[in-house]
Amino acid sequence: MSPIPGIVAVNTFREAVRDRVLYNLIFFALLMMGTAVLVGGVSIGIERDVIVNLGLTAISVFGILMAIFIGVGLVHKEIEKRTLYSLLAKPVQRWQFLVGKFGGLVLTLTVNTALMMVGLAAALFYVTRRFERSDGTIVVAIYFILLELALITSLALLFSCFSTPMLSTLYTLGIYIAGVFAPNIRDIGVVTASPVARWMATAVYYLLPNFHNFNVMAAAAHQETIPAALIWQNTLYAALYIAVVLLSAAAIFSSRDLK
Amino acid sequence: MSGGNNTRVVRVALMAVPALLISLTFLQQRIDVSAAPLQNEKPELMLRSGAMVKKLSLGYDPLLADIYWTRAVQYFGERVGLRGATFELLGPLLDITTTLDPQLMVAYRFGAIFLSEPAPAGAGRPDLAVELVKKGIAANPDQWRLYGDLGLIYSIHLKDYQKAAKAYLEGSKNPNAQIYMKAMAGAVAQKGDSLETSKLIWGEVYSTTDDAQIKKRARQHLESLDAVIDLKNLNQTSETYWEKFGHYPATIQELRDAGLAEGKLEDPEGYPYVMGAYGVPQLNPESTIVMERDQQLPQRNH
């Protein structure tokens, strides 16, 4: 197997660290510390829920912002700085470059998310003074967020292959929002009397990346057990969808005239 | 070399992407089944203090009030009529809504009815309803209808006719108040527990509200009261029948045949009344009119 995507990935990660992307962790730490101290005074009886909900929301929001705003610039920046041409002059294929860029940003997001998880755990321990077995659900919720971030990264990369960063941001954000509301789109089909509308709603439901699948924050806050099947199914779903998006991105990028 | 590779990538993508999308459809169906147990939304309110929410609203409190009001109506709508459903968040939701927007009259009026109604039609908390309406009166002293709502809670749910009469009287002092407020004060003070007074109160609620849910509930009360009045009259006729024939009628038709009753003899929904054991008339089993326990006729045992 070619080591090229791995080399590109490591360099993308280094570049992200150099660009001080991980500075967002300071905001996250401050948010968690502030909440942990204040939560007792304003949320009587549901301190744990507030910490978990806020922590998971922050991990998700920070991650999504990073995935989109860095993701849309991954290809565009290389073209603008003309570094892509010297890279492609070497025995590096375009799809390898894309996969490497994707891997690098996912690696950055994984490190970022892991560090935020440590922050959340610390805040949770400060508030509850103990960890419980059921807190494992929070780890699953964070893993699902990471799958979601990987999928968003692939989408951002896809759009950046043929559009400007501004438009790519809008497209990615649009697809993300539509994907979050995928079940509502399906429900529109259920309540409508028109079979065409029902068919269309169902088709859109299955075609859109279903980001609703990855949201188990409420279950984590209420210490509910997440079905084991859902973990592998969501993993497989993310892997397959990322494959679809990266293949499409590779096809578009490969057929693009870069001269 | 590069051109050939690029073409191969495009070909692979054209073949693989549709196949992967079909696989994803089947996988999504499996995920829907697995995730179904997690989809039950838990009712929760992270911040129960209206004052705190107002501070956090950064000046957008009217908009936030609308959002909370919508949430309150949804919360109520999801649960109303369900067996075993509770409404423990209805009070806090309405409290936050009215703290964010103290002039949101519909929230007070909605709370007055549905916080005080017994389960499963409401939260069964007339104490919270009184608190909410008093808060509304303090913020909107010109809104004389709120005094009417306060009178309703005291007379219908708390059976405190003195306080109810006082509330109606207080409201009637407002120069804009309608004349019935004074009449209501008198009626409640004299015969607060009578069916006629209850009909008067619910009739006013029905004719003065714009809220569809409140209107519907008031209409249900009016229909139920009409049915109670009909059944009481029929029961009296049944007694007359017993005095005349020495036994109770087995059917409503027997009352007609004896010349003691005439007309349609049906409830406001159009279902004919039926005769129960020992000549006690009852609602038709198919009727959806609900009578409160204290409105039901006592059963005879002879």
Side-chain angles (χ1 to χ4, degrees):
Chain A
M1 199 175 158
S2 170
I4 294 169
I7 296 167
V8 177
V10 171
N11 278 310
T12 306
F13 174 69
R14 281 187 187 147
E15 197 184 337
V17 175
R18 257 202 318 272
D19 285 347
R20 294 162 188 155
V21 164
L22 298 179
Y23 273 26
N24 75 93
L25 291 169
I26 297 169
F27 292 107
F28 180 80
L30 287 173
L31 180 73
M32 281 290 100
M33 282 192 289
T35 309
V37 173
L38 287 173
V39 75
V42 294
S43 311
I44 299 151
I46 53 165
E47 295 90 344
R48 184 191 177 281
D49 293 24
V50 174
I51 285 287
V52 173
N53 282 328
L54 192 74
L56 291 177
T57 304
I59 290 173
S60 178
V61 170
F62 286 7
I64 289 167
L65 291 176
M66 280 174 68
I68 294 178
F69 286 104
I70 302 174
V72 296
L74 285 177
V75 175
H76 190 265
K77 213 161 81 174
E78 299 283 351
I79 296 174
E80 205 175 46
K81 284 165 43 182
R82 312 195 77 75
T83 44
L84 179 69
Y85 302 101
S86 55
L87 196 68
L88 293 180
K90 291 173 184 163
V92 175
Q93 290 177 29
R94 293 186 188 188
W95 70 265
Q96 290 175 327
F97 167 77
L98 278 184
V99 171
K101 282 285 175 189
F102 169 77
L105 184 49
V106 170
L107 180 64
T108 311
L109 291 166
T110 307
V111 170
N112 195 56
T113 306
L115 292 172
M116 284 198 271
M117 187 172 80
V118 173
L120 172 57
L124 190 62
F125 188 78
Y126 176 83
V127 170
T128 59
R129 302 285 166 196
R130 67 198 153 103
F131 285 125
E132 291 170 28
R133 199 182 164 82
S134 54
D135 290 335
T137 320
I138 301 170
V139 180
V140 178
I142 293 172
Y143 172 63
F144 282 179
I145 290 173
L146 205 53
L147 292 177
E148 180 182 64
L149 297 181
L151 190 45
I152 294 171
T153 304
S154 69
L155 287 166
L157 200 61
L158 167 72
F159 293 124
S160 76
C161 287
F162 61 86
S163 190
T164 62
M166 171 71 97
L167 286 176
S168 300
T169 303
L170 290 177
Y171 296 151
T172 312
L173 208 57
I175 294 276
Y176 171 71
I177 292 168
V180 167
F181 292 105
N184 303 78
I185 295 172
R186 180 193 53 193
D187 292 345
I188 292 169
V190 174
V191 296
T192 182
S194 157
V196 178
R198 192 177 309 132
W199 184 86
M200 279 180 66
T202 309
V204 171
Y205 172 67
Y206 286 119
L207 205 59
L208 276 173
N210 195 326
F211 287 108
H212 187 78
N213 289 345
F214 305 112
N215 188 352
V216 289
M217 287 188 204
H222 297 294
Q223 296 171 290
E224 282 179 48
T225 309
I226 293 171
L230 193 62
I231 299 172
W232 73 258
Q233 284 167 351
N234 270 347
T235 307
L236 187 60
Y237 182 89
L240 289 180
Y241 214 107
I242 289 167
V244 167
V245 178
L246 287 185
L247 271 169
S248 307
I252 292 168
F253 194 52
S254 297
S255 52
R256 191 174 157 184
D257 185 4
L258 291 170
K259 285 171 191 164
Chain B
M1 177 194 122
S2 179
N5 276 332
N6 288 342
T7 314
R8 206 171 61 202
V9 168
V10 175
R11 277 192 196 145
V12 169
L14 283 174
M15 283 189 293
V17 166
L20 285 170
L21 283 174
I22 292 167
S23 318
L24 278 165
T25 304
F26 290 112
L27 182 58
Q28 182 59 52
Q29 288 168 357
R30 297 281 297 272
I31 291 174
D32 288 341
V33 174
S34 300
L38 302 174
Q39 303 304 318
N40 297 324
E41 199 184 334
K42 296 280 186 301
E44 61 181 25
L45 205 51
M46 286 178 79
L47 297 173
R48 282 174 180 257
S49 159
M52 178 64 77
V53 176
K54 196 175 173 77
K55 283 191 186 85
L56 294 174
S57 69
L58 303 173
Y60 297 105
D61 30 331
L63 175 66
L64 215 54
D66 295 344
I67 293 169
Y68 267 96
W69 166 239
T70 310
R71 180 78 190 102
V73 174
Q74 278 177 344
Y75 175 83
F76 178 78
E78 284 163 7
R79 286 162 181 75
V80 67
L82 293 181
R83 191 179 293 172
T86 56
F87 297 90
E88 72 270 19
L89 290 188
L90 187 62
L93 280 167
L94 289 171
D95 181 51
I96 293 174
T97 304
T98 51
T99 302
L100 289 167
D101 186 353
Q103 274 75 49
L104 196 64
M105 218 45 60
V106 66
Y108 298 116
R109 304 210 71 195
F110 186 90
I113 305 295
F114 292 112
L115 276 176
S116 53
E117 285 282 288
R125 292 294 305 270
D127 54 325
L128 290 182
V130 166
E131 238 175 72
L132 184 73
V133 176
K134 280 186 174 173
K135 180 182 169 188
I137 290 172
N140 308 275
D142 292 342
Q143 291 291 337
W144 57 271
R145 287 192 202 284
L146 289 176
Y147 289 96
D149 292 335
L150 192 59
L152 177 145
I153 305 165
Y154 277 130
S155 63
I156 303 279
H157 298 291
L158 296 172
K159 311 287 181 202
D160 189 335
Y161 305 113
Q162 289 309 310
K163 281 188 179 171
K166 202 177 156 194
Y168 282 117
L169 201 61
E170 201 62 40
S172 73
K173 289 176 188 166
N174 186 308
N176 296 322
Q178 289 191 7
I179 192 75
Y180 77 80
M181 288 290 284
K182 203 164 268 178
M184 206 76 91
V188 170
Q190 279 176 12
K191 39 178 186 175
D193 58 346
S194 75
L195 294 171
E196 286 74 16
T197 310
S198 297
K199 270 193 77 174
L200 260 177
I201 293 170
W202 284 115
E204 284 312 318
V205 172
Y206 182 81
S207 57
T208 57
T209 186
D210 293 325
D211 186 282
Q213 292 200 70
I214 296 177
K215 215 173 195 52
K216 184 180 167 195
R217 188 68 192 137
R219 200 193 64 234
Q220 287 170 341
H221 273 290
L222 288 169
E223 288 180 352
S224 162
L225 287 164
D226 281 339
V228 172
I229 292 167
D230 285 350
L231 289 173
K232 282 196 168 174
N233 290 338
L234 274 175
N235 198 34
Q236 193 58 48
T237 313
S238 198
E239 287 287 352
T240 312
Y241 185 97
W242 184 82
E243 282 164 14
K244 206 168 171 183
F245 298 101
H247 64 92
Y248 284 108
T251 62
I252 296 284
Q253 188 57 39
E254 287 181 30
L255 288 178
R256 277 204 188 92
D257 294 344
L260 295 173
E262 56 184 15
K264 281 185 171 175
L265 301 182
E266 57 191 32
D267 69 24
E269 284 187 349
Y271 290 100
Y273 295 114
V274 294
M275 194 60 82
Y278 301 109
V280 179
Q282 292 172 351
L283 283 172
N284 193 301
E286 286 180 37
S287 174
T288 57
I289 288 177
V290 179
M291 281 168 43
E292 308 285 326
R293 193 168 291 168
D294 61 347
Q295 291 176 337
Q296 287 168 5
L297 297 176
Q299 295 296 311
R300 296 191 187 96
N301 52 12
H302 64 278

